[in-house]
Amino acid sequence: MIDHRLVALCLLALVTGCSDKTNAPFVTSSPQPNPPVRELASPKVPTFADPVDAAVIPYRLKAAQFGFQQKTDQPRVKVRYRYYPIAGSTAIALRSQMSQSGPVSQVEQIHYDANTDWYVRSSYNFVMRGNGCTITSVNTNVDILFTLPKWTPPTGASRSLKVQWQQYMAALQVHENGHKQHGVEAGQEITQTLRNLPAFASCQTLKTTANSYIQKIIKHYNQKDIDYDEITKHGVTQGAVFPPVAT
């Protein structure tokens, strides 16, 4: 009952750059003193019409710093929430509303109750020195977008229904946090991998190697999202079921 839109990496073509169908921005790079940042980006998170009660929550992992002084493998993480409204005073009504208004799976073209998108952007500077071309700084950002239902209990809604809803939303968030963690871990691994690359004979070889590693890492965590949904049955095994199954 939960879907996660997978993200794919848009690799820059040599130094000319590339952009995907979402028009993600890109920046070229060159091995000059204080070179411009080389941007490696996964597709932008989708835009939604008429956003409802969106909240931005900055989430910084311990000791996250950027630019040439970055001494950590932790990316900067930003978490956003986007809600779609549902209404009703019975469990059946709420279930029907989510089934009609929840985010749509791009693969299956059906509605799910919630969705998590993660978007990794990693950039680096490099320079040619005596021992070869090396990366001098890495900057990684991870954007998380949760899409969740929002119910405002009407007058007369039963206490038991409110309790069921609170329990469901808690379980739903637990499941979506699992997808979020995959995005964070992807950013961490990309940062660590880029910072640990050795010197290369040419900067073109460095760029080609870095791009290859980033692509593999993104694909790995996309697959982890797929496996996670299969194992949890899209959150069912974590209690994200509404109405709750009678025992």
Side-chain angles (χ1 to χ4, degrees):
M1 299 169 65
I2 302 146
D3 183 37
H4 174 69
R5 187 182 69 86
L6 300 182
V7 295
L9 182 68
C10 173
L11 294 178
L12 295 183
L14 302 180
V15 297
T16 61
C18 75
S19 62
D20 60 19
K21 63 183 179 180
T22 59
N23 297 317
F26 63 89
V27 181
T28 59
S29 61
S30 59
Q32 303 294 328
N34 300 316
V37 171
R38 178 176 175 80
E39 189 73 18
L40 298 168
S42 56
K44 289 183 178 181
V45 294
T47 56
F48 293 79
D50 301 321
V52 178
D53 193 16
V56 176
I57 301 178
Y59 176 73
R60 298 182 182 181
L61 299 179
K62 185 177 181 181
Q65 297 178 7
F66 295 89
F68 189 78
Q69 299 300 318
Q70 186 173 352
K71 302 298 183 181
T72 177
D73 295 330
Q74 306 296 347
R76 175 173 294 182
V77 181
K78 179 188 290 184
V79 178
R80 293 184 296 146
Y81 285 83
R82 191 178 300 277
Y83 297 96
Y84 64 93
I86 61 171
S89 58
T90 66
I92 293 176
L94 298 182
R95 174 69 271 153
S96 176
Q97 286 276 301
M98 288 188 286
S99 297
Q100 294 176 14
S101 302
V104 179
S105 166
Q106 295 187 359
V107 176
E108 300 166 289
Q109 294 300 307
I110 60 176
H111 291 273
Y112 285 88
D113 293 0
N115 185 69
T116 300
D117 289 294
W118 51 265
Y119 170 30
V120 176
R121 291 177 297 139
S122 188
S123 59
Y124 59 88
N125 291 327
F126 58 88
V127 65
M128 176 63 81
R129 293 172 174 161
N131 63 335
C133 190
T134 59
I135 289 178
T136 58
S137 65
V138 179
N139 184 348
T140 302
N141 295 272
V142 179
D143 293 321
I144 309 293
L145 176 63
F146 291 125
T147 301
L148 299 165
K150 184 174 183 179
W151 175 55
T152 302
T155 302
S158 69
R159 181 178 180 280
S160 62
L161 181 60
K162 295 176 184 177
V163 170
Q164 287 180 353
W165 182 256
Q166 291 171 353
Q167 293 173 342
Y168 172 63
M169 289 302 295
L172 193 60
Q173 187 67 66
V174 166
H175 177 78
E176 296 304 321
N177 284 344
H179 289 300
K180 166 192 166 184
Q181 186 60 29
H182 293 157
V184 173
E185 290 174 1
Q188 291 171 336
E189 188 169 338
I190 287 171
T191 302
Q192 183 180 34
T193 298
L194 294 181
R195 290 187 68 242
N196 291 336
L197 286 179
F200 289 84
S202 71
C203 290
Q204 184 56 58
T205 302
L206 181 151
K207 291 183 286 185
T208 300
T209 303
N211 288 356
S212 177
Y213 277 122
I214 292 172
Q215 184 182 42
K216 290 178 182 178
I217 292 168
I218 293 294
K219 287 182 178 179
H220 172 69
Y221 284 96
N222 282 343
Q223 186 60 49
K224 288 193 71 170
D225 273 328
I226 294 172
D227 296 342
Y228 175 64
D229 274 332
E230 290 181 352
I231 292 170
T232 65
K233 300 185 186 302
H234 293 272
V236 171
T237 64
Q238 296 161 297
V241 180
F242 191 87
V245 177
T247 58

